[in-house]
Amino acid sequence: MNACEPHHGPRKAGVVIASTRAAAGLYPDETGPVIQDWLTEHGFTTFPTMVVPDGEPVGAALRALLTQDPAVVITSGGTGLSADDRTPEMTLPLLDRHIPGLMEGIRRAGVAKTPLAMLSRGHAGVSGKTFIINLPGSPKGVMDGLAVLDPVIGHLCEQMEGSHGH
């Protein structure tokens, strides 16, 4: 049994890509496939990737996904300092509990490769029984973030389900 597959079957996961240009078809989304592959490798059943413009459409996509009771939602993009980078602002009101250590770990891993990683404003936390995390919009930033999540995602899911006793 996969580390992220509870006794009742595979967990569900969603992906939201915040990119006004990719949503308009000006260029292909490069981070969604990376996240989808990672989720599949970790035993998740995934909803189709939602590629939406920056800003409020990100909040609408997150709220729509939450109605489907996913175990995990991963966003990519919209975490920088541009005026339309609003993914953190769309995510924050949905979180019941924060997991700051994950974002600290992701920024620390990113800064080891580029000082620009410290500018990422993403959040990680729990909305109901769904874990939500904001990753950067670059494929390298996404891969760095997923590498940090890799050793903890199974334990995180078990804790949220109440199936990991300690």
Side-chain angles (χ1 to χ4, degrees), residues 32 35 75 118 121 152:
I35 298 168
T75 73
M118 70 179 83
R121 301 178 308 111
V152 300

Side-chain angles (χ1 to χ4, degrees), residues 11-78:
R11 294 180 174 106
K12 297 182 287 183
V15 178
V16 176
I17 305 302
S19 172
T20 300
R21 291 180 291 170
L26 299 178
Y27 64 77
D29 161 43
E30 295 180 353
T31 58
V34 172
I35 298 168
Q36 286 279 354
D37 288 349
W38 184 87
L39 287 164
T40 300
E41 288 169 11
H42 286 79
F44 290 93
T45 299
T46 59
F47 298 106
T49 297
M50 301 172 77
V51 181
V52 298
D54 287 295
E56 178 50 41
V58 175
L62 288 170
R63 290 188 298 276
L65 272 172
L66 288 172
T67 68
Q68 303 300 309
D69 299 319
V72 173
V73 174
I74 299 176
T75 73
S76 172

Side-chain angles (χ1 to χ4, degrees), residues 24-153:
L26 299 178
Y27 64 77
D29 161 43
E30 295 180 353
T31 58
V34 172
I35 298 168
Q36 286 279 354
D37 288 349
W38 184 87
L39 287 164
T40 300
E41 288 169 11
H42 286 79
F44 290 93
T45 299
T46 59
F47 298 106
T49 297
M50 301 172 77
V51 181
V52 298
D54 287 295
E56 178 50 41
V58 175
L62 288 170
R63 290 188 298 276
L65 272 172
L66 288 172
T67 68
Q68 303 300 309
D69 299 319
V72 173
V73 174
I74 299 176
T75 73
S76 172
T79 62
L81 296 170
S82 297
D84 63 349
D85 285 339
R86 303 206 1 96
T87 299
E89 288 80 7
M90 297 297 112
T91 304
L92 190 59
L94 303 174
L95 298 180
D96 303 319
R97 294 182 289 159
H98 301 267
I99 311 172
L102 276 176
M103 294 315 298
E104 292 163 10
I106 288 170
R107 282 188 273 271
R108 188 171 41 254
V111 167
K113 297 177 181 183
T114 173
L116 300 179
M118 70 179 83
L119 300 178
S120 179
R121 301 178 308 111
H123 294 292
V126 177
S127 177
K129 290 193 174 199
T130 300
F131 167 65
I132 302 175
I133 189 163
N134 304 143
L135 296 181
S138 72
K140 287 182 181 179
V142 164
M143 289 186 273
D144 290 345
L146 294 175
V148 171
L149 278 179
D150 212 51
V152 300
I153 191 68

